[in-house]
Amino acid sequence: MRNDRPREHWVKVADGLLEAVTPYATPGSAQYRLPGRAGRAGPASDGLEGFARTFLLAAFRLAGDPAGAPAALLERYADGLAHGTDPGHEYAWQPIADGHQTIVEAASIAIALHETRPLLFDRLDPGVQERVMSWLGGIVGKRAWPCNWVLFKVIVEQFLAGVGGPYDKDEIDGHLADVERWYVGDGWYTDGAGQNYDYYCGWAIHLYTLWWTRMSGADATVYRKRLRAFLDGYRHFFAPDGAPMHQGRSLTYRVASVAPLWLGTIFDASPIAPGTTRLMAGRTLDHFAAHGVPDERGLLSLGWHRPYLPVTQGYSGPASPYWAAKGFAGLLLGPDHPVWTAPPAEPDEGDLTVTLPAPGWLLHRTDGVTRLVNHGSDGNDPDSARDDPHYTKLGYSTHTAPETGPGGRADNADNHLTVILPDGRAIRRRRIERIGIARDFAASRYADGEVVVETASVLDGPWEVRVHRVTAPEDSMVRDGAHALASDRPCDVTLSGHTALVKTAPAQASTETDVAPIPALAPAPAEIGLVSEIVGLHGWRTVQAVLRQDENAIGAHSATPCLVGTHPGGHGVFVSAVRLSRGSLIPPPNVRVNGDHVSWDDTAGLHVEVALGREPVYSRHGSVEERVVWTG
């Protein structure tokens, strides 16, 4: 697979993105008011966001190669700083306020100013410098939301401390202490209290804590060690073709997913070889280019592979996708850095399983598709119990997305064990309670009223075997859904016996060429049809497929294969096998069920036992009694 993109290619893409937004600059370049749905903070905030996030991209572009810095780019953002901080200007920036989007954008401006200080800030008129410091200084004493937002204040106040502006050292120290309380081990932070695990751990918490050390000169040893541990698992969040895992919020930042890879190199904290880092990041850039990102105007839209608002959040405005700038942090590394000059080293592209106890996840790759099995992240703080489909599903992947349109959210069929009570009410997985995790095994429970669903996932070859122990009233309907498969064309559906299978048609083949200067023009990669399948192994009555239109970020047509059963009342055990692949022919296991105990011989010949209920047990051993046992 050839996707080795040199630094010049990244510069070309960055320049294209920066050039494409220029028609949307307000007079004086203080705001960039891009087309699209307004964010909940309003057009003025959206315009500031357009300035701040493209300024961050420009800063990475300029600081990594000062000798090649385009003068026009420097002048444009110098003008924007001058006019944005001028209270008398028509498009002056709003003052920073409690819990307001201005806090977020101030952090991007502060990093950009820090990285380009000799080129830009130090050359500003002293009056403009004072206005910039005064505007940024408005963040002191303001309330930030208790999540990664506290680090925006840390970054801004640390920049101000370095240039003689207003700051509060106690606030910096206090917010760093907040973040310390969210560290859960193995390089992972929850984004605030609760089980909030997603990309923000890498592109926000690791990034800002380490950038604070870069700005302050503080010892980075602890943060570097944590990033290295994080990257040991995170490196596997990408498919071999560069597709990143589709899980969590703010996915519209897209290529920002590679920011932690660059971060590891910038801070000498990466377990990944320089040539591999470049290759992995380039493949992700190419992945989105091949799917029309940026669009024909050269703009980043609100969506994923296509404009698609349900993948966004209420705070997302037209310029929000330009936090993709974080994915260009590698440009800070000059043209002679080993990350750009080292021979390309292919990443591991074979089958693998990775256990991540901190977020409660299993990673599972076969046939070039990586899946995330979720038994630990629900996106909720201790006081909330929502069922955001970007967090509460049983599974996610690099090549599928949850159903996030109104119908899909309401039905909640994909990657969810649903119980529909005799009165028609459907219960939902909102708050995940962990049962246990071990190699290739994870289990959790959720409760909704009188219903309790306990689920264990065991990785077995291309299959995820799900063992469900369900407590529910008699004659309730039980439904288990696999991955929703989406495409620009209707999927093929096969329903037979206890098997439901959905398949996409192969994409048009393409030749191996360089990605075009305007990435939206790149051809889509050839693919063998992707298969989503679920097989009933115990307890199921029939199969179905849920078909939807324009409910999925991947494509306009989507389908979810499902199993359906009838609950006997009391405790019932249901066992299914789920796969998402490109045609693996390995059959699912034959299971034996005795009460709450389920057992089978896996594809490697090892004997597997799973029990849920009062004394949950997992064991896996072979003829020589090599055992991995978990009991909770």
Side-chain angles (χ1 to χ4, degrees):
M1 181 183 294
R2 183 171 68 86
N3 296 84
D4 188 21
R5 297 303 173 204
R7 191 176 187 279
E8 291 78 8
H9 179 75
W10 285 84
V11 169
K12 181 183 292 186
V13 174
D15 285 349
L17 291 170
L18 291 167
E19 182 62 27
V21 300
T22 55
Y24 305 96
T26 59
S29 299
Q31 297 184 27
Y32 288 81
R33 297 200 170 191
L34 300 174
R37 183 203 67 189
R40 65 186 174 206
S45 177
D46 293 341
L48 168 61
E49 188 172 61
F51 176 89
R53 300 190 179 196
T54 60
F55 183 28
L56 184 63
L57 177 59
F60 292 155
R61 160 75 173 93
L62 296 168
D65 186 14
L73 200 56
L74 285 166
E75 292 171 4
R76 185 196 315 170
Y77 285 96
D79 285 347
L81 291 165
H83 293 103
T85 58
D86 178 0
H89 193 266
E90 181 183 3
Y91 294 101
W93 302 334
Q94 299 167 292
I96 296 176
D98 288 336
H100 193 268
Q101 190 68 25
T102 44
I103 293 176
V104 184
E105 306 318 319
S108 289
I109 292 172
I111 289 179
L113 287 171
H114 175 80
E115 296 303 326
T116 60
R117 183 173 173 180
L119 294 170
L120 185 54
F121 184 79
D122 290 348
R123 298 183 182 183
L124 292 175
D125 179 89
V128 175
Q129 288 182 344
E130 287 296 326
R131 292 206 308 269
V132 169
M133 289 189 290
S134 177
W135 184 83
L136 289 172
I139 206 169
V140 179
K142 297 301 190 295
R143 177 179 54 83
W145 297 109
C147 59
N148 68 87
W149 273 52
V150 301
L151 288 171
F152 303 146
K153 294 190 61 178
V154 168
I155 289 295
V156 173
E157 294 191 42
Q158 191 59 57
F159 170 74
L160 290 168
V163 296
Y167 73 102
D168 184 334
K169 186 177 185 301
D170 289 341
E171 280 199 344
I172 294 174
D173 293 342
H175 288 321
L176 290 171
D178 291 336
V179 174
E180 198 65 23
R181 287 192 289 272
W182 303 331
Y183 185 67
V184 295
D186 298 330
W188 280 89
Y189 298 84
T190 176
D191 188 13
Q195 297 187 126
N196 296 290
Y197 299 102
D198 58 19
Y199 281 114
Y200 275 88
C201 181
W203 71 33
I205 299 180
H206 279 295
L207 188 149
Y208 293 124
T209 51
L210 278 160
W211 229 281
W212 169 74
T213 68
R214 182 177 174 95
M215 298 168 78
S216 67
D219 184 359
T221 302
V222 170
Y223 295 131
R224 289 174 62 248
K225 182 178 179 180
R226 290 176 181 177
L227 176 61
R228 182 178 292 272
F230 173 77
L231 288 172
D232 261 335
Y234 184 77
R235 65 192 298 177
H236 302 299
F237 275 56
F238 303 85
D241 67 1
M245 188 63 61
H246 193 99
Q247 181 273 341
R249 70 192 189 285
S250 298
L251 290 169
T252 195
Y253 305 157
R254 298 180 175 103
V255 76
S257 57
V258 306
L261 305 181
W262 295 124
L263 201 64
T265 301
I266 292 168
F267 289 93
D268 191 23
S270 182
I272 309 170
T276 305
T277 295
R278 181 182 72 248
L279 204 60
M280 290 179 66
R283 287 178 179 176
T284 299
L285 186 69
D286 283 2
H287 169 79
F288 286 109
H291 289 90
V293 180
D295 64 18
E296 67 281 356
R297 301 165 297 177
L299 299 178
L300 301 178
S301 63
L302 286 166
W304 184 247
H305 286 167
R306 61 192 180 112
Y308 186 72
L309 291 178
V311 81
T312 67
Q313 285 68 45
Y315 55 75
S316 303
S320 291
Y322 285 83
W323 241 4
K326 294 183 176 184
F328 289 77
L331 290 178
L332 281 174
L333 304 166
D336 296 329
H337 192 280
V339 80
W340 299 116
T341 61
E346 289 285 341
D348 176 15
E349 296 180 355
D351 296 352
L352 63 80
T353 63
V354 177
T355 303
L356 299 173
W361 289 341
L362 305 176
L363 297 180
H364 186 206
R365 186 174 71 214
T366 58
D367 297 327
V369 179
T370 304
R371 281 87 72 195
L372 185 157
V373 179
N374 175 35
H375 287 277
S377 180
D378 54 26
N380 288 312
D381 62 37
D383 299 321
S384 64
R386 300 160 296 179
D387 63 335
D388 186 332
H390 292 108
Y391 287 96
T392 55
K393 299 293 188 179
L394 283 165
Y396 299 91
S397 90
T398 51
H399 287 75
T400 63
E403 300 279 61
T404 49
R409 280 179 179 257
D411 196 37
N412 205 19
D414 58 295
N415 276 314
H416 187 264
L417 193 287
T418 303
V419 177
I420 301 175
L421 299 172
D423 64 6
R425 185 175 72 88
I427 58 91
R428 306 177 79 88
R429 189 189 199 212
R430 292 183 174 89
R431 186 176 298 284
I432 296 172
E433 302 174 38
R434 302 185 187 198
I435 294 174
I437 189 167
R439 181 178 177 182
D440 298 345
F441 164 86
S444 64
R445 69 171 61 84
Y446 78 92
D448 188 352
E450 61 189 312
V451 175
V452 178
V453 175
E454 302 162 85
T455 299
S457 295
V458 181
L459 305 184
D460 184 357
W463 299 94
E464 174 204 347
V465 179
R466 295 177 181 170
V467 177
H468 305 286
R469 183 179 186 269
V470 182
T471 303
E474 184 179 0
D475 292 331
S476 297
M477 188 180 84
V478 181
R479 182 185 64 203
D480 192 7
H483 293 266
L485 210 57
S487 174
D488 292 334
R489 292 171 285 177
C491 299
D492 295 331
V493 176
T494 301
L495 305 177
S496 176
H498 286 94
T499 298
L501 183 149
V502 173
K503 183 176 182 179
T504 60
Q508 294 292 326
S510 66
T511 59
E512 184 72 18
T513 61
D514 283 347
V515 173
I518 301 176
L521 301 180
E527 290 184 350
I528 300 171
L530 196 61
V531 172
S532 177
E533 180 178 12
I534 190 166
V535 179
L537 304 181
H538 177 81
W540 303 103
R541 177 171 52 85
T542 187
V543 296
Q544 64 178 215
V546 179
L547 308 181
R548 299 216 168 269
Q549 183 79 21
D550 205 30
E551 298 264 344
N552 196 286
I554 300 293
H557 303 274
S558 55
T560 303
C562 298
L563 302 171
V564 179
T566 302
H567 199 282
H571 305 308
V573 173
F574 300 82
V575 186
S576 54
V578 173
R579 76 177 174 105
L580 178 69
S581 67
R582 288 196 173 95
S584 175
L585 299 178
I586 298 175
N590 294 311
V591 302
R592 297 172 289 279
V593 179
N594 181 12
D596 287 342
H597 284 72
V598 180
S599 63
W600 69 93
D601 295 328
D602 71 9
T603 54
L606 302 179
H607 185 66
V608 181
E609 294 185 12
V610 175
L612 297 170
R614 181 172 296 177
E615 297 183 356
V617 174
Y618 165 66
S619 69
R620 202 170 195 156
H621 59 90
S623 59
V624 295
E625 296 301 315
E626 179 184 352
R627 297 175 64 88
V628 177
V629 180
W630 177 91
T631 304

